[in-house]
């Protein structure tokens, strides 16, 4: 980062902190001093999908902070409501209609900072929809509805695939199909740090798996030169595998990956060692750094944070998850600044469903619509997108028991990301098969 842009960054940050909008940023700026912003990769783009596995409690992630709506929230959520004084205000660049004001969970300090630096946006009340659906249409079952509503398995597949009739291919994989020819080595187009394969599976592309432990172990094994090439190949096979278990073939791919692995330990940004999501994102950052050696112009990554099925002890468990998410995403954004690719990398969240707005004991139950975040230098940040739900029960977006009816579809979400990624117009409906049923295709949260 050049000195002028760094100074402007610090000035904005100190202004926001002094105004009481945010706490001093929890991100170390040491890596930003070394950032390579002057040598960004204009022809490279990456999408990074973060699955909040189990159904994130959106009502304790994004909380109404204006007096009237917070009072409703407090009354309905009862013993799982967060204290108003601890919430982190989110002051958008444009005014929200109806006087609704949002705040972040108190443990999302770094994400709060990124929001006010215009590097992060919030998409409100998004979920699985086959077509636009009103409350009356839902109750009367007069329109097609997603398969297996409120089911972990079915809704996780719906979020990853968007298709109502098939869970075999994901929209990440379909984007991969659309851009496959842009990469000299298509093998490295779609990479997952988890065994979950639907999102990155396309018609012609299958995801590779890479983990932080195997990267460190494989790289150190080869560097020590005390093992045979056969042993190294076996270790490399355990690092990178296709979804059907077949290892990446050929000495060329092995050589390319080994060169990439040697870059893994050279990122200055600190990623918390005990944070599983942070370590997955460190792996992603390492592979992004090696993009030239891998000969790729477009990459899609999939990472996962488990534990969001908070039927009980929501306050304790969810607070821990929010801290993990905040540290992991904060470190990852810092790494993209260090690598000079913040403008080229867009990170976004998904979760199989939101949770009930009302409390069930000391937890919440399976819901439907939820809020999600989009982070990166190309994001039109410091703003909210989609339609805000009405705070309360028995509203126009409450299908019962505080379950939100989504007002934005996954198809619209995926189309907006795919369009920024460079997917052509004639391929967009392949990525989002229900897109033609919705009027507003591009949600507007990405810069062109």
């Amino acid at each position: 980062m050049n000195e002028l842009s760094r100074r402007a960054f610090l000035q904005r940050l100190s202004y926001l902190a002094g105004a009481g909008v945010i706490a001093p940023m929890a991100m170390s700026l040491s890596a930003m001093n070394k950032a390579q912003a002057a040598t960004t990769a204009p022809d490279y783009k990456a999408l990074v999908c973060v699955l909040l596995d189990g159904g994130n409690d959106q009502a304790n992630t994004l909380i109404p902070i204006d007096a009237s709506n917070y009072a409703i929230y407090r009354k309905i959520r009862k013993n799982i409501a967060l204290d108003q004084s601890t919430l982190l205000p989110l002051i958008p660049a444009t005014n929200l209609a109806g006087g609704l004001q949002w705040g972040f969970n108190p443990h999302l300090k770094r994400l709060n900072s990124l929001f006010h630096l215009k590097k992060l946006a919030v998409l409100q009340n998004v979920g699985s929809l086959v077509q636009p659906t009103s409350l009356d249409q839902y109750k009367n079952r007069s329109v097609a509805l997603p398969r297996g509503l409120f089911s972990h398995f079915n809704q996780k597949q719906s979020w990853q695939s968007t298709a109502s009739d098939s869970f075999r291919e994901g929209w990440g994989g379909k984007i991969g199909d659309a851009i496959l020819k842009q990469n000299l080595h298509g093998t490295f187009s779609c990479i997952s740090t988890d065994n979950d394969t639907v999102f990155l599976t396309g018609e012609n592309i299958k995801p590779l798996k890479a983990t932080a432990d195997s990267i460190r172990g494989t790289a150190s094994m080869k560097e020590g030169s005390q093992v045979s090439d056969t042993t190294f190949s076996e270790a490399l096979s355990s690092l990178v595998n296709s979804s059907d278990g077949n290892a990446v073939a050929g000495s060329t791919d092995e050589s390319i990956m080994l060169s990439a692995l040697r870059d893994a330990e050279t990122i200055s940004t600190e990623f918390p060692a005990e944070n599983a999501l942070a370590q997955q994102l460190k792996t992603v950052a390492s592979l992004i750094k090696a993009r030239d050696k891998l000969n790729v112009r477009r990459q899609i990554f999939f990472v996962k944070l488990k534990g969001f099925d908070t039927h009980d002890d929501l306050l304790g468990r969810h607070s821990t998850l929010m801290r993990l998410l905040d540290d992991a995403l904060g470190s990852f954004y810092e790494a993209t600044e260090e690598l000079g690719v913040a403008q080229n990398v867009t990170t976004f969240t998904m979760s199989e469903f939101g949770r009930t707005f009302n409390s069930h004991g000391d937890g919440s139950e399976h819901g439907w619509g939820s809020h999600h975040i989009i982070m990166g230098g190309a994001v039109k940040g410091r703003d909210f997108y989609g339609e805000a739900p009405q705070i309360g029960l028995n509203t126009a977006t409450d299908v019962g028991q505080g379950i939100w009816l989504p007002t934005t579809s996954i198809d619209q979400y995926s189309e907006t990301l795919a369009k920024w990624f460079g997917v052509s117009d004639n391929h967009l409906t392949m990525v989002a098969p229900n897109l033609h049923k919705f009027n507003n295709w591009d949600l507007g949260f990405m810069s062109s």
Side-chain angles (χ1 to χ4, degrees):
M1 183 177 296
N2 62 51
E3 187 58 30
L4 181 61
S5 62
R6 180 178 180 276
R7 190 181 306 120
F9 175 89
L10 291 171
Q11 286 174 344
R12 290 196 302 270
L13 187 60
S14 62
Y15 170 78
L16 291 169
V21 174
I22 55 173
M25 201 161 189
M27 296 164 56
S28 167
L29 294 177
S30 61
M32 292 188 182
N33 293 333
K34 306 172 185 177
Q36 303 166 16
T39 56
T40 55
D43 202 30
Y44 175 82
K45 285 186 179 181
L47 287 171
V48 182
C49 175
V50 180
L51 174 65
L52 309 180
D53 191 23
N56 179 42
D57 189 280
Q58 80 291 342
N60 272 16
T61 303
L62 189 69
I63 306 98
I65 60 173
D66 56 283
S68 59
N69 283 302
Y70 179 80
I72 298 171
Y73 159 87
R74 183 86 195 187
K75 181 178 180 180
I76 294 173
R77 295 230 104 187
K78 300 177 182 176
N79 58 320
I80 62 171
L82 295 166
D83 191 285
Q84 188 175 18
S85 65
T86 67
L87 304 177
L88 304 175
L90 293 167
I91 302 176
T94 57
N95 293 323
L96 287 175
L100 176 62
Q101 299 173 25
W102 290 116
F104 262 156
N105 182 288
H107 299 290
L108 298 180
K109 293 182 174 65
R110 298 170 82 170
L111 298 188
N112 178 268
S113 297
L114 288 169
F115 178 88
H116 289 99
L117 292 169
K118 297 186 177 182
K119 307 301 182 184
L120 184 143
V122 176
L123 180 58
Q124 305 167 111
N125 196 21
V126 57
S128 58
L129 288 171
V130 178
Q131 64 184 72
T133 303
S134 69
L135 184 60
D136 285 342
Q137 288 172 326
Y138 168 79
K139 289 181 175 180
N140 295 327
R141 300 299 194 269
S142 58
V143 296
L145 296 173
R147 187 196 309 180
L149 279 174
F150 322 125
S151 155
H152 281 292
F153 174 80
N154 285 285
Q155 287 305 290
K156 191 183 299 184
Q157 305 307 306
S158 288
W159 257 96
Q160 294 184 53
S161 71
T162 73
S164 58
D165 58 349
S166 172
F167 292 155
R168 291 188 298 272
E169 298 173 359
W171 53 272
K174 291 177 181 179
I175 292 175
D177 284 339
I179 55 87
L180 186 59
K181 292 182 180 179
Q182 297 189 45
N183 294 334
L184 181 61
H185 290 281
T187 304
F188 306 117
S189 299
C190 293
I191 301 177
S192 174
T193 62
D194 187 81
N195 291 323
D196 208 330
T197 61
V198 172
F199 178 71
L200 291 180
T201 298
E203 182 178 353
N204 300 308
I205 202 163
K206 298 293 185 288
L208 303 182
K209 182 180 176 183
T211 67
D213 287 343
S214 55
I215 278 183
R216 285 192 295 268
T218 307
S220 62
M221 178 183 291
K222 190 65 174 179
E223 288 291 341
S225 69
Q226 299 298 313
V227 296
S228 68
D229 287 341
T230 300
T231 303
F232 173 71
S233 295
E234 291 173 352
L236 186 61
S237 296
S238 69
L239 163 66
V240 182
N241 287 285
S242 60
S243 59
D244 62 0
N246 294 322
V248 174
S251 58
T252 300
D253 281 344
E254 287 189 1
S255 176
I256 291 169
M257 180 56 78
L258 175 59
S259 180
L261 300 184
R262 286 172 176 164
D263 276 341
E265 300 301 319
T266 61
I267 294 178
S268 300
T269 301
E270 291 186 11
F271 287 83
E274 303 303 318
N275 185 326
L277 179 61
Q279 289 303 305
Q280 292 174 66
L281 288 171
K282 182 179 180 181
T283 299
V284 172
S286 300
L287 292 168
I288 289 174
K289 181 173 183 180
R291 61 192 178 277
D292 291 336
K293 294 178 181 178
L294 297 177
N295 285 300
V296 289
R297 294 172 55 201
R298 295 289 185 272
Q299 286 185 290
I300 310 165
F301 298 92
F302 179 86
V303 299
K304 178 190 291 187
L305 179 60
K306 300 178 181 180
F308 284 89
D309 196 17
T310 49
H311 290 280
D312 51 45
D313 189 24
L314 186 147
L315 286 178
R317 294 169 59 193
H318 196 250
S319 293
T320 298
L321 291 165
M322 291 291 99
R323 280 195 296 269
L324 293 171
L325 181 66
D326 190 60
D327 279 341
L329 292 186
S331 293
F332 183 66
Y333 182 80
E334 184 178 343
T336 64
E337 287 278 8
E338 176 192 345
L339 299 174
V341 294
Q343 196 74 19
N344 309 82
V345 179
T346 299
T347 305
F348 61 97
T349 62
M350 68 164 62
S351 192
E352 56 259 49
F353 43 63
R355 304 191 77 84
T356 53
F357 191 68
N358 56 335
S359 64
H360 288 259
D362 62 349
S364 56
E365 296 300 313
H366 299 180
W368 192 355
S370 187
H371 307 308
H372 287 284
I373 61 173
I374 309 99
M375 178 183 78
V379 173
K380 294 180 181 178
R382 199 177 177 184
D383 233 329
F384 300 90
Y385 296 86
E387 183 180 333
Q390 184 178 343
I391 304 301
L393 300 178
N394 302 314
T395 68
T397 52
D398 180 5
V399 303
Q401 303 181 53
I403 297 173
W404 289 350
L405 173 66
T407 46
T408 297
S409 72
I410 306 168
D411 291 82
Q412 294 166 289
Y413 191 17
S414 62
E415 188 276 349
T416 307
L417 291 165
K419 186 176 180 180
W420 169 80
F421 199 60
V423 175
S424 61
D425 290 346
N426 60 320
H427 282 102
L428 287 176
T429 52
M430 176 185 74
V431 173
N434 298 311
L435 189 60
H436 64 283
K437 301 175 185 177
F438 297 88
N439 292 325
N440 185 19
W441 288 17
D442 190 330
L443 297 173
F445 56 73
M446 297 300 301
S447 298
S448 58

